[in-house]
Amino acid sequence: MPAPCGLAAKAAISQPVPAAPPGHGHRGVRTVPKELHRMAAKRCTAMPPGPILLLVLALLPPGPAAPCSPQPNATRFVCTEPTLRSLPAGLPRTTLAISVEFTALSALPPSALLPVPRLQELHLSSNRLASLPAALLRPAPALRVLDLTNNLLSDLPADTFSSSQRLQHLVLRENRLRALRPAWFQHLPRLLWLDLGSNALAELPPGAFRPLRSLRSLDLSRNLLAALGPGALAGLGALERLDLEGNRLLTLPPAAFAPAPALRLLFLQENGLQELPPRIFLPLHHLRVLDLARNRLRALELPPPGPGPALELDLAGNPWHCGCALRALLRSAAPLLSAAADTRCASPAHRRGQEVAALSGAGGCEDNGDGQQPPGP
């Protein structure tokens, strides 16, 4: 047996195996088991050096691969590697969708999308982005979907979306936005879905959404809005869904929803609404869902009955005054109360604790001057 054979085998087999990255099946340093050592040493006496080296190499685990390596000619790139800190280089020009989510990505260079001019979807949710370059989206004029959910964005450059005329879905929820820039929306005529929920917005600039003539859904839930000023919804003639849940609204202007006559779903729950202006819902002939739960309302306003299914109405968690006016309104509108068992009267005294739903089927109501029905016998 040639001497180098035994030396090479012993040297190679005794080398420690480097620790693999998390998720690759083993931790720390590992050496080849003694049985394999004896096997390789025994075969070394009967085999030439070439096969021995092949055997040793076969026993060694492969080295760690680079996380989230782009594939040539691929149309999608997906990465959820928690340790990723920068967008990988080498994305092919064929890429149509990028999804880099739940990573440590904290910054993007202005040239990040230069290699992918055909990009249509960019999903960057649950990262650590605190800012975006003004020129980031310019190399991708075909972009239709941008999701920036759950980052650290407190502001965006005024011209961030100046080259995104084809954008249809924009999600900015769960960031730290404190104010809206009307310039963001100047070049988004095709936008259908805008989600600004769970930020720190305290007001809506008048006419900020006016350029969004195609918008169908607007989510402003879980912000700090204390008022909905005149003109806040101007230009939203195509809007079908508006979510204002979980803000600090105490009242609404009489014509608040007049610019959005196509509304079908309106969510106003969990605010501080104490009173609704008369006929505030009159322009909403297509309304099908109205959520007024968990406010401080005592009197009710409803849209006029329209064709189609009955209005789905949530009135739970309000101190309703169950006088003649409320009973008459419920009988005429005949809404479908979605939380009937939790919707109870707070006044008058003889109605306290009764379910509001039961009143709509009650008999006549005699007004004693204060809108209350006299106590029964």
Side-chain angles (χ1 to χ4, degrees):
M1 176 190 73
C5 176
L7 294 175
K10 291 181 180 180
I13 294 174
S14 62
Q15 291 295 317
V17 179
H24 283 67
H26 67 271
R27 300 178 180 176
V29 176
R30 186 186 67 180
T31 57
V32 178
K34 292 182 179 180
E35 292 79 2
L36 298 179
H37 182 111
R38 289 195 295 268
M39 182 190 310
K42 181 177 179 181
R43 293 183 179 179
C44 186
T45 62
M47 296 165 54
I52 292 235
L53 293 177
L54 292 176
L55 173 62
V56 172
L57 292 174
L59 294 174
L60 295 175
C68 301
S69 300
Q71 301 299 314
N73 301 319
T75 59
R76 293 189 66 88
F77 174 75
V78 178
C79 181
T80 56
E81 170 56 52
T83 62
L84 185 76
R85 295 185 179 275
S86 60
L87 200 64
L91 291 169
R93 290 178 62 86
T94 54
T95 303
L96 300 178
I98 294 175
S99 178
V100 177
E101 302 175 288
F102 304 98
T103 77
L105 186 67
S106 60
L108 290 169
S111 59
L113 302 182
L114 277 175
V116 288
R118 299 168 56 190
L119 190 68
Q120 297 180 9
E121 297 186 21
L122 181 57
H123 302 269
L124 296 172
S125 69
S126 301
N127 292 301
R128 301 177 186 177
L129 296 170
S131 63
L132 293 182
L136 176 67
L137 304 179
R138 291 175 190 169
L143 193 67
R144 295 185 304 177
V145 177
L146 177 59
D147 185 357
L148 291 162
T149 301
N150 190 24
N151 278 280
L152 307 174
L153 299 168
S154 59
D155 196 8
L156 295 172
D159 57 346
T160 298
F161 309 109
S162 61
S163 59
S164 303
Q165 286 86 353
R166 298 185 184 181
L167 196 63
Q168 297 180 359
H169 293 257
L170 175 57
V171 185
L172 293 167
R173 74 177 299 111
E174 295 179 32
N175 278 280
R176 301 177 180 181
L177 298 175
R178 295 186 295 270
L180 290 184
R181 292 179 181 260
W184 292 345
F185 311 119
Q186 290 296 315
H187 305 283
L188 302 178
R190 301 184 185 181
L191 195 66
L192 300 174
W193 183 287
L194 176 58
D195 191 342
L196 295 163
S198 299
N199 278 281
L201 300 175
E203 62 178 355
L204 302 178
F209 303 124
R210 191 182 299 275
L212 305 180
R213 56 180 180 270
S214 300
L215 196 67
R216 299 292 191 273
S217 177
L218 175 58
D219 193 331
L220 293 163
S221 63
R222 305 294 171 186
N223 276 281
L224 306 176
L225 299 174
L228 198 64
L233 303 180
L236 299 181
L239 192 68
E240 297 180 356
R241 180 183 182 275
L242 176 61
D243 194 341
L244 290 164
E245 175 187 359
N247 280 280
R248 301 177 179 180
L249 298 172
L250 300 178
T251 187
L252 295 169
F257 305 117
L263 271 179
R264 298 177 60 252
L265 300 95
L266 178 56
F267 301 95
L268 293 166
Q269 68 268 37
E270 295 186 27
N271 279 279
L273 295 171
Q274 300 178 19
E275 186 178 4
L276 295 172
R279 297 179 293 280
I280 186 173
F281 301 125
L282 189 62
L284 306 183
H285 296 279
H286 305 283
L287 198 65
R288 291 293 172 263
V289 174
L290 176 59
D291 196 333
L292 295 169
R294 296 176 293 283
N295 280 281
R296 301 176 185 176
L297 295 169
R298 288 171 48 81
L300 181 62
E301 286 286 333
L302 289 179
L311 176 71
E312 293 186 29
L313 182 63
D314 194 339
L315 302 175
N318 286 279
W320 295 111
H321 175 72
C322 297
C324 296
L326 179 63
R327 296 176 60 186
L329 184 60
L330 291 176
R331 283 199 302 270
S332 63
L336 175 63
L337 297 179
S338 58
D342 298 323
T343 307
R344 300 181 181 275
C345 303
S347 63
H350 65 281
R351 293 288 187 190
R352 185 177 298 123
Q354 294 185 16
E355 293 182 1
V356 172
L359 301 180
S360 61
C365 178
E366 296 181 4
D367 196 335
N368 66 357
D370 59 1
Q372 301 178 9
Q373 180 185 7

